[in-house]
Amino acid sequence: MTDRDARSVNEGTRLDPWFDAYAARAHGLRSSEIRALFAVVSRPEVVSLAGGMPNIKDLPLDRLAQSAAELIRRDGTQAMQYGSGQGWEPLRERITEVMTYDGITANPDDVVVTTGSQQALDLVSELFLERGDVVLAEAPSYVGALGTFRAYEGDIVHIEMDDDGLVPDALEQTIKQVRASGRKIKFLYTIPNFHNPAGVTMSQERRAQVVEICRRERVLIVEDNPYGLLGFGADPLPALQSLNPEGVVYLGSFSKMFAPGFRIGWALAPHAVRDKLVLASESAILSPSMVGQMAIEDYLSNYDWYSQVKVYRGMYEERCQAMMKALEDYLPSCSWTKPDGGFYTWVTLPDGLDAKAMLPRAVTGLVAYVSGTAFYADGRGGDHMRLSFCYPTPQEIREGVRRLSRVISAEQELVEMFGTNVRARVSDDSVSAPAPDQR
């Protein structure tokens, strides 16, 4: 057999003939556990407590439709054209006004408009991470951020949290340990308000402590704040950025406070970092969508957007209360965080249960959640699950928790009878429709 024949046979046995052509970092890409659930949880008979989709049914859609039509008639040639790589200046000005609710005083020149805050995360990772560089992140942390850091070959080191958010002593100790091992820390990634997935908020006292530790240790902070305005009681606590503007890259988004379909977010960064973010963004997308930017600027300028945020707050608070009551009634063997804003609660399962192994049986029982394993880079999280209350109605939330309680009770009975190894024997990797009496 010739070398050419051998290559042909070898290539023919591969699922991907371009396997050898990929960059090394491409082999580290992983599918999101949340995205993998979408096909299943979209079935109408399944109550999904999994996704973080905002409920946009309360948006004034007729008014927005009229505004969009007028925008195209009046400014269509500009809206349909390329724009600035940094983002449209009138929108950047409005963004600085939005950030005043976080206690931030900013110059529009230091704002970079991005395709959702997810792109901002990608740009920051591209600028700062090389293979083996350390990112400090809360335990647990946002799955989309973990995936981005992995894609740029960063090494994620988790820092413990409690009900008041990131633990400053744990942050300080971790910084010392990482540096003692000879590794380089590039930044701390944190979600201080209504954390995804933990549902907790960093206390005001701890914000000052975290900022001071990072200032002293020369660790950049990447502050991700998509849920900040969605507190049930009041405006958010002062942003970390407001305590040290030169030491924080602040990420914001209109996806949760307005609508995700526009895919508009932003980064507020120290001036030198801002310049590099603009260059990286231009290389990736040339410029963010002018239609989306102009539509959001029109909304912020000509509509009482803050009153709309208050409507969202009331709606999400009602759903959170429904979740808390259902958990109290149906899952007394579990414990959970008690959010004062945002979309999520973090549930701790009884000893011996594994959220990831249990998920197929939960979907068979017509309820879905996200296993805690999605939110760790080090294999932890099987004893937790994230439950979302943002999208289902209060009635659906209660029914979903009721169904989940039946799954957990059945799992506990199996563990009590056969021990924790029963999961490996009874786990069903397929997600099939249940019999009628299981609905």
Side-chain angles (χ1 to χ4, degrees), residues 223-245:
E223 178 180 13
D224 199 357
N225 189 34
Y227 310 97
L229 287 179
L230 298 179
F232 303 146
D235 290 330
L237 294 171
L240 305 183
Q241 194 278 348
S242 71
L243 304 178
N244 184 19

Side-chain angles (χ1 to χ4, degrees), residues 69-81 291 294:
E70 178 59 28
L71 171 66
I72 298 302
R73 282 193 295 267
R74 184 184 68 241
D75 300 312
T77 55
Q78 182 181 12
M80 299 297 184
Q81 191 53 272
V291 172
M294 294 179 75

Side-chain angles (χ1 to χ4, degrees), residues 65-348:
Q66 293 172 3
S67 296
E70 178 59 28
L71 171 66
I72 298 302
R73 282 193 295 267
R74 184 184 68 241
D75 300 312
T77 55
Q78 182 181 12
M80 299 297 184
Q81 191 53 272
Y82 290 116
S84 163
Q86 185 174 351
W88 194 41
E89 185 173 1
L91 177 60
R92 289 189 278 118
E93 292 172 355
R94 296 290 173 268
I95 287 171
T96 63
E97 296 169 6
V98 170
M99 290 189 293
T100 61
Y101 289 94
D102 294 297
I104 293 174
T105 301
N107 189 315
D109 195 43
D110 290 325
V111 174
V112 180
V113 178
T114 58
T115 305
S117 59
Q118 187 67 32
Q119 191 212 2
L121 268 175
D122 186 87
L123 295 175
V124 169
S125 300
E126 178 186 353
L127 291 180
F128 285 96
L129 294 182
E130 296 178 305
R131 178 182 292 182
D133 286 343
V134 170
V135 177
L136 304 177
E138 291 141 335
S141 189
Y142 167 50
V143 61
L146 300 181
T148 299
F149 303 151
R150 287 194 198 100
Y152 285 96
E153 301 178 279
D155 185 5
I156 300 156
V157 176
H158 285 297
I159 302 169
E160 295 307 314
M161 305 174 68
D162 60 21
D163 288 344
D164 289 321
L166 185 69
V167 178
D169 288 344
L171 170 63
E172 195 161 21
Q173 187 64 28
T174 302
I175 291 173
K176 291 178 181 178
Q177 291 173 348
V178 170
R179 287 181 171 162
S181 70
R183 292 181 291 170
K184 185 181 295 185
I185 298 171
K186 287 301 181 71
F187 54 83
L188 164 68
Y189 172 74
T190 179
I191 308 171
N193 295 319
F194 323 126
H195 189 274
N196 176 10
V200 301
T201 295
M202 190 186 297
S203 68
Q204 187 158 355
E205 179 182 9
R206 287 196 181 176
R207 289 170 191 244
Q209 292 173 336
V210 167
V211 168
E212 179 53 32
I213 290 168
C214 289
R215 189 203 316 260
R216 185 176 67 245
E217 299 293 338
R218 294 187 56 80
V219 173
L220 179 70
I221 296 173
V222 177
E223 178 180 13
D224 199 357
N225 189 34
Y227 310 97
L229 287 179
L230 298 179
F232 303 146
D235 290 330
L237 294 171
L240 305 183
Q241 194 278 348
S242 71
L243 304 178
N244 184 19
E246 290 303 309
V248 179
V249 176
Y250 174 98
L251 310 183
S253 175
F254 290 106
S255 292
K256 306 302 190 293
M257 60 170 281
F258 183 25
F262 286 108
R263 304 307 304 130
I264 299 293
W266 71 89
L268 172 67
H271 200 75
V273 178
R274 188 277 331 252
D275 288 345
K276 290 181 172 56
L277 285 172
V278 173
L279 293 174
S281 182
E282 288 175 340
S283 295
I285 62 168
L286 296 181
S287 67
S289 162
M290 280 297 294
V291 172
Q293 291 182 88
M294 294 179 75
I296 290 179
E297 193 278 335
D298 182 79
Y299 174 74
L300 295 174
S301 299
N302 299 312
Y303 187 78
D304 187 4
W305 66 270
Y306 190 67
S307 291
Q308 182 63 52
V309 166
K310 290 181 177 179
V311 171
Y312 281 153
R313 285 176 173 175
M315 179 262 295
Y316 290 134
E317 182 175 16
E318 178 188 19
R319 294 175 184 215
C320 181
Q321 290 174 348
M323 175 69 77
M324 297 295 104
K325 184 65 167 63
L327 290 171
E328 291 173 6
D329 291 346
Y330 292 118
L331 291 178
S333 63
C334 298
S335 60
W336 52 88
T337 56
K338 298 175 174 59
D340 51 13
F343 285 6
Y344 309 107
T345 184
W346 185 240
V347 177
T348 304

Side-chain angles (χ1 to χ4, degrees), residues 5-20:
D5 291 337
R7 285 198 301 271
S8 297
V9 170
N10 193 32
E11 290 174 1
T13 62
R14 289 180 177 169
L15 294 176
D16 184 354
W18 301 107
F19 183 86
D20 291 335

